[in-house]
Amino acid sequence: MKERDSFGNHFGVLVALAGSAVGLGNLWRFPYLVGTNGGASFIIIYLFFVFVICLPLMFTEFVIGRRSQNNVFGAFRTLTQGKKPFWGKIGAISVLCAFVILSFYCVVGGWTINYLVKSVLMQFTEGVNFQQMFEHSSTSTTVPLIYTLIYVFLTALIVIMGVKNGIEKYSKIMMPLLFLMVIAIAVHSLTLPGASEGVKFLFYPDFSKVTGDTVLAAMGQAFFSLSIGCGTIITYASYVKKEENIISSSAATAIMDLIFAMLAGVAIMPAVFAFGLSPSEGPGLLFVIIPQIFSQIPFGSVLAILFFIVLFFAALTSSISLLEVVVAFLSEEFKMKRSWATFTASLSVTIVAVLCSLSLGLLNDWTICKLPLFDFLDKLSADFLLPIGGLLFVIFAGWKMSDEEYFDELSNGNTLKQKRWLLYAIRFIVKYIAPIVILIILISCLLK
Ligand code: PHE
C-alpha cells in the first residue's frame, strides 16, 4: 500500500487546522447568528461551548485521528479492531455531515465569488440598494448557480492537486491579510456615527431573551466554526506526525478562530446600527453590510476586491477540509483513485448544492420542516449532526478507549510531560461533562 501523505512540519499543521476552522463560519455565519440571537448573551454562551466543550473535543478528534492513521470511517474500525460493530461504524455520520455542510457551504462560497466579481466591476457605489443587490444575487436562478458550480470546481481542483503544493503556501499570505483587513474594517466601523449601539449589542448581555434555541444555535455555531464533529480534525490529524503537540496546536487554532469571529462581529455590528439596519437581517448580513462600508470609504473599491479575495480564500481552505473528509473516505474505504474519488464526491455535492441554491428562489415553496432546503441543511448539520457526531466521539474516546491510551496519545507517549491535572481535567470533560451537556441540549430541543 502506498504510504499515507503527511504534513511537512508543525507550521503546515497549524495552517491547515486554522484554514479549516477560519472561514465563512466566522465572517458570514457568526455575525448573523449574533444578530438574530440577541447579541452579547449569545456570545457568552458561545464562549462556554468553545472552551469547555469544543476544545476538549478537538483534542479528542486529534487523538482518534492520529492514533488510527485512518480516514474518519476507518478510524473507528481500526481503533475497535473490528470487535465492536456499532462503534466501528460511527464515522459514517461524519462523512454524511461533511457532505451536507459542503452542499450549502458551496452556495455561500459562490456568493463570495459573485461579490468578488462585483467589486472588480466597481458596483459598490454610494446610493446602491445593497439589500436588493444581495436578494438578486442569492435568489435569482442562473447567476448563483453558475458561481456555485465554479466554487465546487475550484474546491475539487485543489483537493486533486493535493493540499501541500500551493494552498499551504498561499495561506501564509492570505490569513494574515484577512486578519489585517478585518481589523481595519472593525476600526472603521467603530468610528461610524451611531456605532455605540452596535458595541452595546455585542457586549452588554440581556439574558432575559435567552431561549433553548439560543443555546442550541450557540452550540451549533461553536461546532461549526471550529470544524468539530464531522471528522475534519480526525482526517487532518491522521496526516500528522507523532511529534506534534496536540494540546497546544488545538488551543492555538481555537483562539485564532475565536479572534476572527469576534473581529467579524465588531466589524459588522456597529455598522449595522450606524446604517439603521436590523441586526436580525439573517444570512445576507455580511453581503449587505460590507459592500456598503466599502462604498463609503476612500479606496473602497480596491479594498473591496482585496477583501473578497481573502474571504473567498478563507472559505476555500474550509471547504477543502470538508471535501477531504469525503475523499479520504471514498479512496481508502472503496480503494478509489484519489482523482476519481474527488470527482464522485464533487459531482454529488454539486447536485445537492444546486438544489440548495434554487431553494432560495425558484424552489422556495418546497420546504422541509417549514424551511427551504438551504436553511434546513444549515440547521440540520450545525445544530444536530455536528453535535451528534461530537457526542459519539466523546463517548467513544471516554468509554471505549482506556485512560492510558488517551493520555498516551495526548502526551506523545509521555514525551511531552504534560501537567497531570490538565490531562485529568480534559479526560473528565470528555467522559462526563461534554456528553451530558450535549445530550441535555439535544434532547430538550427535540422534545420541545
Ligand atoms: N469551520 C468552517 C468555517 O468556519 C466550516 C467547517 C465546518 C469546516 C465543519 C469543516 C467542518 O467556515
Side-chain angles (χ1 to χ4, degrees):
M1 207 177 122
K2 152 173 148 325
E3 213 196 307
R4 297 188 90 236
D5 224 1
S6 72
F7 287 111
N9 54 25
H10 172 65
F11 189 70
V13 176
L14 272 187
V15 168
L17 286 177
S20 171
V22 177
L24 295 170
N26 310 60
L27 289 119
W28 161 70
R29 207 170 183 275
F30 181 75
Y32 99 69
L33 284 178
V34 170
T36 48
N37 286 288
S41 40
F42 174 87
I43 297 182
I44 292 173
I45 303 170
Y46 174 77
L47 288 176
F48 165 81
F49 281 109
V50 168
F51 288 110
V52 182
I53 307 292
C54 288
L55 192 54
L57 238 161
M58 200 183 237
F59 303 149
T60 303
E61 283 205 29
F62 232 116
V63 164
I64 294 171
R66 197 176 64 174
R67 196 151 189 95
S68 64
Q69 300 280 308
N70 217 322
N71 71 82
V72 64
F73 186 81
F76 293 94
R77 190 193 45 234
T78 310
L79 294 180
T80 54
Q81 294 161 343
K83 287 191 199 124
K84 300 190 175 92
F86 171 76
W87 290 102
K89 295 193 187 63
I90 59 171
I93 188 169
S94 302
V95 179
L96 174 77
C97 182
F99 178 84
V100 169
I101 295 181
L102 200 52
S103 308
F104 70 84
Y105 206 89
C106 288
V107 176
V108 187
W111 297 346
T112 61
I113 305 184
N114 186 348
Y115 272 68
L116 174 58
V117 173
K118 285 187 195 306
S119 60
V120 172
L121 297 176
M122 303 215 179
Q123 290 182 358
F124 305 148
T125 47
E126 238 170 312
V128 171
N129 183 333
F130 289 101
Q131 263 157 325
Q132 246 168 30
M133 180 186 255
F134 175 71
E135 208 140 287
H136 180 258
S137 311
S138 56
T139 61
S140 63
T141 304
T142 37
V143 177
L145 275 191
I146 295 171
Y147 286 114
T148 302
L149 294 183
I150 299 177
Y151 187 86
V152 178
F153 176 76
L154 291 174
T155 305
L157 198 67
I158 295 177
V159 171
I160 288 187
M161 289 194 317
V163 173
K164 251 196 276 174
N165 319 323
I167 199 88
E168 227 180 89
K169 219 166 38 205
Y170 293 113
S171 293
K172 288 179 204 164
I173 312 167
M174 294 293 185
M175 283 288 170
L177 199 58
L178 180 64
F179 186 66
L180 291 181
M181 295 228 49
V182 185
I183 291 192
I185 300 172
V187 170
H188 174 77
S189 201
L190 287 172
T191 59
L192 291 169
S196 56
E197 274 306 301
V199 175
K200 218 152 94 213
F201 185 75
L202 281 173
F203 296 108
Y204 289 93
D206 174 3
F207 284 106
S208 66
K209 297 214 180 74
V210 171
T211 63
D213 285 341
T214 320
V215 179
L216 184 70
M219 174 167 83
Q221 174 59 17
F223 276 81
F224 188 90
S225 192
L226 292 178
S227 308
I228 297 290
C230 67
T232 35
I233 312 276
I234 293 186
T235 308
Y236 273 5
S238 73
Y239 307 130
V240 166
K241 299 216 176 89
K242 290 285 180 198
E243 300 86 63
E244 192 67 29
N245 184 334
I246 294 181
I247 297 187
S248 64
S249 303
S250 305
T253 308
I255 289 172
M256 201 165 352
D257 189 73
L258 182 66
I259 293 176
F260 268 101
M262 290 307 293
L263 280 175
V266 178
I268 289 181
M269 246 356 123
V272 169
F273 284 86
F275 298 154
L277 295 169
S278 153
S280 52
E281 179 85 18
L285 197 62
L286 172 82
F287 295 93
V288 172
I289 297 297
I290 292 288
Q292 188 150 348
I293 294 179
F294 284 127
S295 74
Q296 297 177 344
I297 55 177
F299 307 110
S301 43
V302 182
L303 293 174
I305 299 177
L306 207 57
F307 177 81
F308 282 105
I309 290 179
V310 287
L311 179 66
F312 162 70
F313 199 85
L316 207 56
T317 51
S318 299
S319 43
I320 56 178
S321 74
L322 285 161
L323 187 57
E324 182 65 31
V325 171
V326 187
V327 169
F329 163 72
L330 290 178
S331 61
E332 293 182 2
E333 296 301 312
F334 298 97
K335 308 278 170 280
M336 278 188 191
K337 259 176 69 185
R338 217 182 134 77
S339 49
W340 187 236
T342 312
F343 176 76
T344 314
S346 325
L347 193 67
S348 327
V349 165
T350 305
I351 297 171
V352 188
V354 164
L355 291 175
C356 272
S357 178
L358 291 178
S359 76
L360 297 175
L362 197 64
L363 299 180
N364 203 238
D365 295 333
W366 182 59
T367 57
I368 311 174
C369 299
K370 300 201 192 92
L371 294 170
L373 186 67
F374 179 98
D375 303 73
F376 174 74
L377 293 185
D378 177 321
K379 223 176 150 44
L380 173 75
S381 55
D383 293 359
F384 295 99
L385 293 180
L386 289 178
I388 291 173
L391 177 66
L392 292 172
F393 296 166
V394 276
I395 297 181
F396 177 84
W399 299 93
K400 302 287 156 193
M401 281 174 92
S402 66
D403 292 358
E404 292 73 38
E405 219 182 336
Y406 192 85
F407 289 149
D408 181 69
E409 198 60 41
L410 259 192
S411 59
N412 299 356
N414 210 17
T415 52
L416 285 177
K417 306 275 171 264
Q418 310 276 23
K419 303 211 170 32
R420 286 321 278 180
W421 67 263
L422 181 64
L423 295 181
Y424 282 111
I426 294 171
R427 188 77 185 147
F428 185 75
I429 293 180
V430 168
K431 264 184 123 142
Y432 303 100
I433 310 277
I436 293 173
V437 170
I438 300 173
L439 252 181
I440 291 178
I441 295 171
L442 286 179
I443 290 177
S444 57
C445 285
L446 286 173
L447 291 183
K448 209 175 51 162

